[in-house]
Amino acid sequence: MENPEAALDNTLFWVVTTCGIFGAFIPFVVKMVLQVITRETELEANLRRQACDLKAELGSISMVDEFAKYAKIKRKVIKVTDELSHQADLRSSYTFKVRLIATFALYTFMSFTIIFLVWNYRKIPVVILPEECLYPFNSLFSYPSDVPGGISLTTWLFICGTVGRAMTKSMKS
């Protein structure tokens, strides 16, 4: 049967690694979620098609020969365009609110998770390597666990966060 302490260490390793890397990907995750939930509505698509049709019709009419018809269609174009910009403003406002709430919620969740992990597992090393691998920084990496060759939870969170930020930076390029 497997050692329960080893299973805890393995689980702790993966939880801490996921938390450290996921923290860097929160803006990316929020952006992807927003792309899914804030798509153009059917009303906006209809208004956009209607504006294009009216503009095409307006282009086919001579302003000099059929001024009344031209002016009527021009007013319709302006009305549809104004409604379209109003709908776009509403969607933009909604997107901003959702982005703000989702980002705050995810960062809050990550913060509480990390605080919980650090509070409860600060003296347990997440990774244990041969002692000579970390020489001369062995005591720095293992603090506060003081296990020779161990990498503490706070150090591992820092390493994973740095790797996660580097990954997101390379994805933007």
Side-chain angles (χ1 to χ4, degrees), residues 150-170:
I151 298 178
S152 70
L153 187 133
T154 52
T155 305
W156 192 248
L157 273 172
F158 177 75
I159 291 168
C160 292
T162 303
V163 168
R165 286 187 295 280
M167 289 167 60
T168 58
K169 190 175 182 179
S170 71

Side-chain angles (χ1 to χ4, degrees), residues 134 136-146 150-152 154-156:
L134 300 176
F137 303 106
N138 194 13
S139 61
L140 179 68
F141 285 156
S142 67
Y143 182 80
S145 69
D146 294 327
I151 298 178
S152 70
T154 52
T155 305
W156 192 248

